[in-house]
Amino acid sequence: MTKTVVIAGALDTKGPDFAYLKELIEREGVKTLVVDFGVMGEPAFPPDVTRAEVAEAGGGDIAYLATGEHKDEAMRIMAEGLAIVVRRLYDEGKLDGIISMGGSGGTSIATTAMRALPIGVPKVMVSTVGGGDVSAYTGTKDITFMPSIVDVAGLNRISRVIYANAAGAIAGMVKMERPSTAEAKPIIVASMFGNTTPAVNHAKSILEAEGYEVLVFHATGTGGRVMESLITDGYAVGSLDITTTELADEVCGGVLSAGPERCLAAARAGIPAVLVPGCVDMANFWGMDTVPEKYRNRKLYQWNPNVTLLRTNVEENIKIGEMIARAANESKGPVAILIPLKGVSMLDSPGGAFWDPEADRACFDAIKRNLRPDIPYIELDYNINDPEFSGKVAETLLEMLRKHSQ
C-alpha cells in the first residue's frame, strides 16, 4: 500500500519551498497530502486542506486572523486547529508520516500538531531553530529536527540539498517496515538514575522473567515526562517508579525537574504502581559554577565535570514526601509505597557522601503522615540497591498486577 506523508506549512510565505518538497517526496513513490496553515496571503498552490479549514478547527475565522492585527491569537488558533486536523487525518488512516519546515513561528505551529500524534509516527521538522535547544517544541514526542542552515525563504544551492535530505528522511521513514508487535508483551515502565541502576536492573530481571517488557526511563526531567506520557497514552500496564528524584529538582529548583505533577500519571490512569523515594537525596545542577549562591554552603557532590549534586535537607525532604503521598492518594488503582531505611541511593548509604538519616526520615515520615490509611506503606531495613529491597519492589508490583488483572 502506498504511504501518505502530510506536508504542513505556510503556503503564503513559503509556498515555493513546500512545492519543491512535495515534488521530492512524490518522486520517492510516496503520496502527499498538503495542509496549509498560512494566514496572511493566498497559498502559492492549492492545498488539500485549506487555511480556512485549519482556522475553523481551531475555533477561529481566517478572515479575522488575516488582518494581521491578531498575530498571537492567530498563532494559537492555527496551532490548535492544525493539531486537530492532523490527528483526524491520522485516525482516518490518511497519515503515515508528517513533515514541515519553518522558522520559530512555523516550528511552533507544526510541532504542536506533531505532538498530537502517537510515538512511532514519523515526524520531521526542518527548522531555523533546529540546531539549538528544541525541547520546548518536541515535548515528550519523537520529533526529528533537521537544521535548515539557511532560512526557509526560497530555493538556493543550500536549501535544495537540505530539502532533499528531509524528503528522503520522511520517505524512508514511512516506507520502512515496522517491527512486528504480534507477540508484544505487556509493558511496565520504570524510572532509573545512575544511583539506582542496580536496583532497577534487578527488579527488571524479575519482571521480565514473568513475561513483562520493562521500559526504563532516565529520570532527567525529560525522561520522567516521556514515561508519564506513555502511561497517559495507555501503553503501560504497571509502573515501577523507583526513582522519583525529579521531585527533588522540582522542590530545589534543579535542572532535571519533570514538573509538579510528576508521579501523577499512573495515579490518574489507575494502573498498578509502586512508588519509592529513590534518589530524593539529590537535586541536580550543571557544573559547580552553576549552583545557585544559596546552595554554595550546602553539601555538594561533583558527579562528573558537568553535573553537580546537592544533598537535600530536612525541609526539602518533607515537601518531597508530601508530593509522593499526594500521588499515591490520588491513585485510582492499586498502589504501594516501599521505603529503603538504609538509604535512597548509592551515595545515601551508611558511610556514603550523602548519608543523612535525619533528612531521609523527614521524607519517610511526611509520606506516612499524609498517606491514605488503606495504602500499603512498607519499610525495609535495606539500601535501595540491595537485592532484598529491589526484589520486594518487583514482587509487590507483580502481586498487584495479578490481582488487578483478575
Side-chain angles (χ1 to χ4, degrees):
M1 180 183 294
T2 304
K3 301 293 186 177
T4 300
V5 167
V6 167
I7 300 174
L11 301 191
D12 52 354
T13 59
K14 306 184 187 304
D17 303 71
F18 282 103
Y20 184 63
L21 182 68
K22 172 179 166 67
E23 178 187 341
L24 290 170
I25 294 172
E26 291 176 348
R27 202 182 293 170
E28 294 299 312
V30 177
K31 292 195 298 184
T32 61
L33 192 157
V34 179
V35 182
D36 179 22
F37 62 75
V39 172
M40 299 303 296
E42 292 300 314
F45 63 93
D48 298 290
V49 179
T50 67
R51 59 182 185 154
E53 292 174 89
V54 173
E56 184 180 0
D61 177 73
I62 194 63
Y64 170 79
L65 301 178
T67 63
E69 299 175 3
H70 316 280
K71 188 169 178 60
D72 56 342
E73 189 175 359
M75 289 278 290
R76 177 185 60 79
I77 288 173
M78 298 307 278
E80 292 176 1
L82 184 63
I84 292 170
V85 168
V86 162
R87 182 67 202 208
R88 183 175 70 236
L89 291 172
Y90 172 78
D91 291 339
E92 293 173 351
K94 298 176 181 177
L95 183 156
D96 297 297
I98 184 170
I99 187 170
S100 186
M101 306 188 295
S104 60
T107 300
S108 178
I109 293 172
T111 54
T112 297
M114 292 178 184
R115 294 194 301 273
L117 296 170
I119 288 174
V121 176
K123 313 167 186 73
V124 173
M125 185 70 226
V126 180
S127 174
T128 59
V129 300
D133 180 3
V134 296
S135 58
Y137 299 106
T138 58
T140 60
K141 294 302 174 72
D142 53 336
I143 300 172
T144 301
F145 265 77
M146 183 177 291
S148 63
I149 306 300
V150 294
D151 200 355
V152 182
L155 302 176
N156 54 61
R157 68 175 66 185
I158 300 297
S159 64
R160 284 189 176 91
V161 173
I162 299 299
Y163 299 167
N165 287 342
I170 193 66
M173 287 179 180
V174 298
K175 290 193 288 186
M176 186 70 187
E177 185 177 346
R178 296 288 182 268
S180 172
T181 57
E183 299 180 5
K185 299 175 182 179
I187 290 173
I188 291 173
V189 295
S191 53
M192 187 171 81
F193 229 28
N195 268 279
T196 54
T197 297
V200 176
N201 285 343
H202 182 231
K204 180 174 180 280
S205 68
I206 295 172
L207 296 168
E208 288 178 339
E210 293 295 323
Y212 292 93
E213 182 177 6
V214 181
L215 306 184
V216 179
F217 296 85
H218 200 193
T220 56
T222 300
R225 288 192 296 270
V226 172
M227 183 182 83
E228 299 213 314
S229 74
L230 290 179
I231 293 173
T232 301
D233 289 345
Y235 284 92
V237 300
S239 174
L240 188 81
D241 209 350
I242 199 169
T243 313
T244 47
T245 183
E246 287 151 318
L247 296 177
D249 281 70
E250 176 65 20
V251 167
C252 298
V255 296
L256 301 184
S257 170
E261 297 202 332
R262 175 69 175 85
C263 299
L264 290 174
R268 291 166 177 167
I271 62 172
V274 172
L275 290 167
V276 178
C279 289
V280 298
D281 58 320
M282 57 186 68
N284 296 262
F285 296 94
W286 301 133
M288 191 69 75
D289 60 342
T290 71
V291 177
E293 186 65 35
K294 64 180 179 179
Y295 295 137
R296 292 295 174 89
N297 294 325
R298 294 271 296 277
K299 186 177 291 185
L300 300 172
Y301 186 93
Q302 192 167 17
W303 181 249
N304 63 48
N306 300 311
V307 175
T308 305
L309 307 178
L310 165 75
R311 208 314 173 185
T312 52
N313 62 21
V314 168
E315 180 184 11
E316 292 153 357
N317 272 271
I318 291 172
K319 293 178 181 178
I320 295 166
E322 291 170 348
M323 295 173 80
I324 292 173
R326 175 199 170 198
N329 291 342
E330 291 194 19
S331 182
K332 298 177 181 177
V335 62
I337 293 178
L338 275 73
I339 303 294
L341 294 177
K342 287 189 176 177
V344 299
S345 76
M346 285 182 184
L347 294 178
D348 180 38
S349 56
F354 275 5
W355 177 237
D356 187 343
E358 182 184 5
D360 288 349
R361 176 47 66 183
C363 178
F364 306 158
D365 288 347
I367 294 173
K368 193 172 184 179
R369 185 169 58 251
N370 291 280
L371 195 64
R372 273 183 7 218
D374 61 302
I375 296 175
Y377 171 91
I378 304 167
E379 293 187 348
L380 298 171
D381 196 26
Y382 297 105
N383 181 267
I384 194 169
N385 290 302
D386 289 337
E388 294 86 353
F389 182 82
S390 52
K392 181 65 175 178
V393 169
E395 291 163 9
T396 301
L397 182 57
L398 283 171
E399 183 61 27
M400 289 194 294
L401 286 163
R402 294 186 191 106
K403 291 181 179 178
H404 191 64
S405 65
Q406 294 169 1

